[in-house]
Amino acid sequence: MTLSGVLVPLITPFDAAGAVARDALEALANEVLDDGAAGLVALGTTAEPTSLNTVERHLVLDVLLGVCRERSAALLVGASTPDALAELRGRPGVTAAMSTVPPFVRPGEDGVVAHFAALAAASPVPLVVYHVPHRTGQHLSAGTLRRLAAVDGVVGVKYAAGLDADAVDLLADPPAGFALLGGDDVVISPLLALGAHGGILASAHFATARFVELVDAWHADDAGRGRALGHRLAPLSAAVFAEPNPVVVKAVLHAQGRIPTPAVRLPLLAAGPGSTREALRQVERVTPVAA
């Protein structure tokens, strides 16, 4: 089955003592699934995985595995090395691993294909390529993404390269069974208009149901509804990403009373009050008032 819909890359909430707030994490997972998300991402960039120790990473994964198994929801897990992938063995319920294109090394496109072929051959679960060139320094052409789609065990891509010519090319003739999931929240609507299957959207911690409506509108070829929702949601996404992810997400979740603290770990710093106010304003603007 091709991955589709809205997947929310969950933050890792911390309590007042600095520990992972397990109950808040479980509640967040259930909230976004209640609002129609198709699944979750554990230990993605939004979760601050490099700031978590091994015990904390296992805790986060166990909590979200439990929720997704109970809810029959998809679960992607950030895992980009053979060792990280090996840790997913024997964990039923993991739909796929989200594996980043090797950062900093810039191995070239042939090197990226060889890298993912080796990862996929050793992985206990399918792989979703995380293509985020502004972080990795490695561009991938539409042709290379088609080569990756042909690798046994590679089932999709989180496309966080904006709305560029390669996205247009790939979606004009998409590989069968290969999911293109938008990863740049501000441009998710035009990507869906071009044929993207869904999105991995940190913005969808908020107004989750509106993002689900956006995906459903474009999948139903309701361009009028899709454009209207896209224009409405893009300012929210821009506000959420006004500072390094996930600092604004956490600030707003804390202001809403959904997590115990807005704390992030170094090298991240807390969101500024101006960014938090603007993001809260945008959330309120797109969230229906309860009757």
Side-chain angles (χ1 to χ4, degrees):
M1 179 183 295
T2 302
L3 289 163
S4 63
V6 173
L7 293 98
V8 182
L10 286 183
I11 59 104
T12 303
F14 301 124
D15 63 22
V20 174
R22 179 189 182 115
D23 290 348
L25 177 63
E26 184 175 2
L28 281 175
N30 279 299
E31 286 168 11
V32 299
L33 292 175
D34 285 344
D35 283 343
L40 309 173
V41 179
L43 303 175
T45 305
T46 307
E48 302 172 75
T50 59
S51 300
L52 304 177
N53 62 36
T54 300
V55 172
E56 291 171 329
R57 289 195 299 272
H58 288 172
L59 171 60
V60 168
L61 180 53
D62 288 343
V63 169
L64 298 186
L65 261 174
V67 171
C68 286
R69 278 198 295 258
E70 183 177 335
R71 303 291 299 268
S72 298
L75 179 67
L76 273 57
V77 180
S80 299
T81 66
D83 287 346
L85 289 166
E87 291 184 3
L88 302 181
R89 197 175 303 278
R91 288 181 177 268
V94 175
T95 306
M98 189 172 71
S99 302
T100 307
V101 171
F104 190 76
V105 180
R106 300 179 68 186
E109 293 182 281
D110 288 345
V112 170
V113 174
H115 170 77
F116 276 99
L119 278 186
S123 177
V125 297
L127 303 184
V128 171
V129 176
Y130 184 9
H131 177 37
V132 56
H134 70 275
R135 291 183 184 270
T136 65
Q138 176 66 63
H139 174 74
L140 299 181
S141 66
T144 293
L145 288 165
R146 289 192 176 91
R147 291 169 62 195
L148 287 168
V151 173
D152 188 28
V154 175
V155 297
V157 60
K158 177 182 177 181
Y159 197 89
L163 182 61
D164 62 4
D166 287 299
V168 175
D169 184 336
L170 185 67
L171 286 166
D173 184 21
F178 184 72
L180 193 147
L181 303 169
D184 276 340
D185 297 30
V186 173
V187 296
I188 186 60
S189 185
L191 277 173
L192 290 165
L194 288 168
H197 297 88
I200 297 175
L201 307 171
S203 305
H205 280 84
F206 316 107
T208 310
R210 302 291 81 75
F211 282 99
V212 173
E213 287 178 27
L214 175 69
V215 174
D216 290 347
W218 284 117
H219 285 179
D221 291 328
D222 187 347
R225 180 67 172 155
R227 279 196 298 268
L229 282 165
H231 286 308
R232 191 164 179 79
L233 290 169
L236 166 59
S237 295
V240 165
F241 283 92
E243 296 192 39
N245 188 43
V247 303
V248 178
V249 174
K250 283 189 155 185
V252 174
L253 288 171
H254 179 248
Q256 293 178 324
R258 295 168 67 191
I259 59 175
T261 75
V264 292
R265 291 180 177 173
L266 290 172
L268 295 173
L269 299 174
S275 297
T276 303
R277 283 194 301 271
E278 175 59 16
L280 278 165
R281 187 180 76 83
Q282 292 296 339
V283 170
E284 291 166 0
R285 188 177 64 84
V286 301
T287 304
V289 177

